Amino acid sequence: MLKGIDNRLNAEVLGVLRAMGHGDVLIVSDTNFPADSVARATVTGKLLRMENLTCGEAVNAILSVLPLDTFVDDFAGRMEVVGAPHEIPTVQAEVQAEIDRAEGRARPMLSIERFAFYDMARQAYAVIQTGERRFYGCFMFRKGVIPPEA
């Protein structure tokens, strides 16, 4: 345990979040996502896990330490529901609420078509698989910067 660090963030996840640079992409997925095979193609080449958490809980912990990119429109995205790209399932609404909370304002995620999401995930820095069992709990986050202190 560490003071000031959310205990849901394990050592492997913390190490990867720390190592990521500005613009690097992180994928947070549900249990149905082909996370292991996709993670093998990423920069880290291995799957990270936050198994006992929903996507909302995992994203809450991740965004307690990870800044989101403010220079681009694709700072965060969600996998579209096949056949209903504008539908926002509850799991996605929960993650959107966590983004808005962390950012202190509404910052809507982009919608990413399913196969485009898979392609993006293979090029990501890392994949974290959660214990989320609800469908379409798949998200991307682009790391931002922490400005110098005044």
Side-chain angles (χ1 to χ4, degrees):
M1 298 290 290
L2 296 172
K3 291 170 64 175
I5 302 289
D6 191 309
N7 67 353
R8 297 173 293 184
L9 296 169
N10 61 54
E12 292 81 15
V13 169
L14 278 172
V16 165
L17 296 178
R18 172 69 173 94
M20 289 174 66
H22 182 209
D24 282 339
V25 170
L26 174 70
I27 300 298
V28 176
S29 78
D30 60 31
T31 58
N32 291 298
F33 186 73
D36 188 63
S37 61
V38 169
R40 292 176 197 199
T42 65
V43 173
T44 61
K46 64 179 183 174
L47 178 60
L48 304 171
R49 297 180 187 276
M50 295 176 79
E51 296 175 303
N52 296 319
L53 303 174
T54 66
C55 282
E57 292 166 337
V59 168
N60 176 274
I62 291 164
L63 295 183
S64 75
V65 296
L66 184 80
L68 292 176
D69 202 331
T70 57
F71 296 113
V72 295
D73 291 333
D74 66 341
F75 66 93
R78 63 176 183 82
M79 182 189 285
E80 289 180 354
V81 175
V82 174
H86 301 293
E87 181 181 332
I88 307 293
T90 304
V91 64
Q92 293 183 357
E94 289 172 5
V95 168
Q96 183 64 64
E98 292 300 337
I99 292 168
D100 295 348
R101 182 201 53 73
E103 295 291 288
R105 64 187 173 98
R107 279 192 84 194
M109 287 183 278
L110 294 179
S111 167
I112 305 168
E113 186 274 332
R114 178 179 167 219
F115 292 107
F117 188 95
Y118 291 153
D119 291 341
M120 174 183 276
R122 286 183 194 94
Q123 296 175 28
Y125 193 89
V127 176
I128 298 173
Q129 186 174 45
T130 68
E132 183 64 67
R133 292 184 60 196
R134 293 174 290 180
F135 297 147
Y136 295 100
C138 298
F139 306 91
M140 66 75 66
F141 299 96
R142 190 173 302 277
K143 187 176 183 179
V145 298
I146 299 173
E149 298 196 15

